[in-house]
């Protein structure tokens, strides 16, 4: 049974076929968030810290940390991103206990993150590009961490799922050459917008099934890509996630603040037999008590009086 | 490509792997609805007619018609149910255009329904029980209608999905002996409550996949069974339906008045490439216009003025 172990200083998260779905909170990322980008350049971490706490409260299993700000004062991210990544990681791990995911397209920022991150973070990401494989896989080996493997290579992102599967297979094989086991690779098969490619959903469901059966790897994705450009994106995402889970997907990088998607994931955990006795579902959905009512079992059961007033 | 054709006098519904999910409205059924049962015994069809119209408005593809009332004045349904089934069918088909599903455990009521129902209704149901096979399959052949095949037999409902698959296979083979093709059989693999059997979801997803791949049949289920006894049943159902659809399920007998489930089905139609250009999703989810606003394209486009007031 494939299990990917990710750790903070004090907590362990497991991505696995026999585990509740792993929700990787995506909010700490300045891409498309100009205000956050400017705050980070100015050394203001208040939004980062608020987002960290809010995502944990909303039920995130892990937090993705991306510090990809292009500074106005210095346009070279190879110089600015490594120290910023370290600072953001230090702030977040001082504040929350859940494991982290170090997310950058700048290899130096990934290594800088690995130097300061406590526990066993998830590295995000390697691709099938030769340069990335040669730079990132040695880091994965050196720091003994799991890694997200994205199914594109030097030819770009293929619309052909067979090619994306082949790229994932190549990464798994190259990782094995470095002594990195398949259970430390979490493949992102790449989710296309359904509005642009009508087969995008079917492609992902089939890819996830094959990645699980044939390569034995865990999988993840940027879930909200599927609904890009459509109305009621949350509604599309909230169906996509259970469908991906039924196909075998084990994690997603997503916004845990959206309750429709989180409800769908909790229900899908129950339906894939990853919620013992339905306790997480029941806890999240127990009937709301009216003001003045006593929690069932807390006092009502002891005193023997009726639990619900009519 | 398996397609089950169901017709009313004027409309055709297709259950199929390449079709939007077929929603069979379950409301016209006196089981557990004491008020409706008493109305039907008294010859009052107002609730039936209101339920027919409401389910069509909510987006049902077909309507299930069950007249299983045990009369206070006559406890023998073999006498009372056939004429009641005919009356309910006549009333409903006079009122709505979509195809119907004749639902009874009383064979005489099924045949009575077939005598009056216009078009090509779906018959609900045959099981693997010998007596049912011998009584129902000749009706299916005689009237040339498709039939729901429920995966239980003379030994009852097995908790072992292998046995339920074998029962479905037996029914398909027995039907073939009567000259009934597999595409006219819609198998219900039986959905157990997830609260009582933690593997109930995984069982159904695997069964549906096998029924589709190995027997080439369409599938259906009483969808809400999955959430029996749990809080927030709509939330469980709304994840279960897309997961079943990702596994290949093509229809369900369900309550179309629940918008959470219907939204999930519309999204899953999009994600299984059964919503051309996303037009059904976009139509159902176009931004609501504030009071006083003009429908985009209706007047704004003609007059050239801004469509949305800011």
């Amino acid at each position: 049974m494939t299990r990917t172990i990710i750790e903070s200083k004090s907590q362990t998260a497991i991505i696995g076929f026999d585990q509740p779905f792993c929700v990787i909170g995506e909010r700490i990322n300045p891409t498309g968030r100009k205000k956050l980008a400017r705050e980070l350049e100015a050394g203001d971490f208040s939004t980062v810290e608020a987002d960290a706490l809010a995502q944990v409260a909303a039920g995130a299993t892990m937090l993705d940390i991306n510090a990809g700000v292009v500074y106005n004062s210095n346009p070279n991210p190879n110089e600015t991103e490594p120290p910023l990544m370290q600072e953001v990681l230090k702030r977040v791990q001082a504040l929350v206990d859940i494991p982290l995911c170090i997310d950058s397209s700048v290899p130096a920022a990934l290594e800088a993150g690995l130097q300061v991150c406590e526990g066993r973070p998830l590295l995000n990401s390697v691709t099938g590009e030769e340069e990335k494989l040669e730079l990132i896989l040695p880091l994965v080996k050196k720091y003994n961490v799991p890694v997200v493997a994205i199914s594109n290579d030097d030819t770009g992102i293929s619309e052909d799922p067979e090619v994306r599967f082949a790229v994932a297979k190549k990464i798994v094989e190259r990782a094995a050459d470095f002594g990195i086991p398949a259970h430390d690779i979490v493949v992102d098969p790449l989710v296309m917008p359904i509005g642009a490619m009508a087969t995008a959903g079917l492609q992902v469901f089939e890819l996830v099934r094959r990645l699980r059966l044939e390569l034995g790897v865990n999988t993840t994705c940027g879930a909200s890509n599927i609904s890009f450009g459509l109305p009621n994106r949350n509604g599309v995402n909230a169906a996509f996630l259970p469908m991906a889970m039924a196909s075998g997907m084990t994690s997603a990088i997503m916004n845990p603040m959206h309750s429709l998607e989180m409800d769908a994931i909790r229900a899908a955990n129950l339906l894939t037999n990853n919620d013992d006795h339905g306790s997480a579902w029941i806890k999240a959905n127990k009937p709301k008590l009216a003001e003045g009512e006593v929690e069932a079992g807390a006092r009502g059961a002891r005193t023997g009086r009726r639990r619900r007033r009519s």
Side-chain angles (χ1 to χ4, degrees), chain A:
Chain A
M1 190 59 83
T2 300
R3 290 183 177 179
T4 306
I5 310 289
I6 304 106
E7 295 178 312
S8 66
K9 189 170 62 178
S10 61
Q11 286 192 9
T12 299
I14 304 174
I15 305 177
F17 306 156
D18 61 345
Q19 300 291 321
F21 196 69
C22 177
V23 174
I24 305 173
E26 71 181 5
R27 291 292 291 155
I28 301 178
N29 187 332
T31 311
R33 298 183 74 185
K34 280 189 185 174
K35 179 169 166 286
L36 175 58
R38 295 292 70 84
E39 284 178 11
L40 291 173
E41 182 170 3
D44 173 1
F45 297 91
S46 55
T47 298
V48 162
E49 292 180 342
D51 283 346
L53 291 170
Q55 290 182 100
V56 171
T61 320
M62 297 171 50
L63 296 184
D64 188 79
I65 308 293
N66 183 304
V69 182
V70 179
Y71 281 25
N72 288 319
S73 57
N74 179 350
N76 183 355
N78 290 304
E79 293 174 4
T80 60
E81 196 174 321
L84 181 60
M85 174 64 89
Q86 290 192 330
E87 185 64 25
V88 175
L89 282 168
K90 286 179 190 170
R91 299 253 179 180
V92 172
Q93 70 190 357
L95 198 63
V96 305
D97 291 330
I98 66 175
L100 305 180
C101 175
I102 304 173
D103 178 6
S104 180
S105 55
V106 175
L110 291 176
E111 178 147 29
L114 288 166
Q115 287 163 356
V116 303
C117 198
E118 298 166 327
R120 189 174 199 251
L122 178 62
L123 205 62
N124 185 8
S125 57
V126 69
T127 69
E129 297 164 288
E130 280 304 319
E131 189 186 351
K132 290 274 184 157
L133 290 166
E134 294 302 321
L135 279 169
I136 309 296
L137 291 180
L139 285 182
V140 171
K141 180 64 181 171
K142 176 179 173 188
Y143 288 89
N144 181 30
V145 289
V147 65
V148 173
I150 304 184
S151 307
N152 65 295
D153 64 9
D154 294 294
T155 65
I157 298 175
S158 175
E159 293 196 354
D160 181 350
E162 291 291 335
V163 173
R164 301 216 298 284
F165 181 81
V167 171
K169 190 159 181 277
K170 180 180 82 169
I171 301 174
V172 170
E173 288 167 354
R174 288 289 284 277
D177 293 342
F178 282 86
I180 301 161
H183 67 245
D184 272 341
I185 300 176
V186 181
V187 172
D188 180 345
L190 285 164
V191 172
M192 313 290 185
I194 191 86
M197 185 194 288
T199 56
L202 294 175
Q203 278 194 3
V204 171
F205 306 147
E206 179 62 19
L207 271 170
V208 165
R209 178 174 307 281
R210 288 188 64 195
L211 289 165
R212 177 169 175 161
L213 290 176
E214 298 179 33
L215 302 186
V217 292
N218 280 307
T219 44
T220 195
C221 69
S224 67
N225 280 2
I226 194 74
S227 60
F228 182 79
L230 290 173
N232 188 7
R233 293 188 64 176
N234 297 127
V236 176
N237 301 345
F240 172 73
L241 285 159
M243 295 172 92
M245 290 168 72
S247 307
M249 191 170 276
T250 46
S251 71
I253 301 171
M254 56 176 280
N255 187 344
M257 311 301 290
H258 292 156
S259 61
L260 194 66
E261 286 97 314
M262 292 297 278
D263 282 349
I265 287 172
R266 274 188 281 266
N269 282 335
L270 176 66
L271 293 164
T272 51
N273 194 15
N274 287 318
D275 178 4
D276 277 352
H277 302 96
S279 55
W281 179 259
I282 291 166
K283 187 178 171 195
N285 290 281
K286 60 184 175 185
K288 303 291 182 292
L289 297 177
E291 214 171 320
E293 279 190 314
V294 179
E295 176 98 15
R299 193 136 57 100
R302 270 205 305 279
T303 61
R305 67 181 176 184
R306 284 164 64 212
R307 293 181 183 185
R308 308 296 300 267
R309 290 178 193 162
S310 57

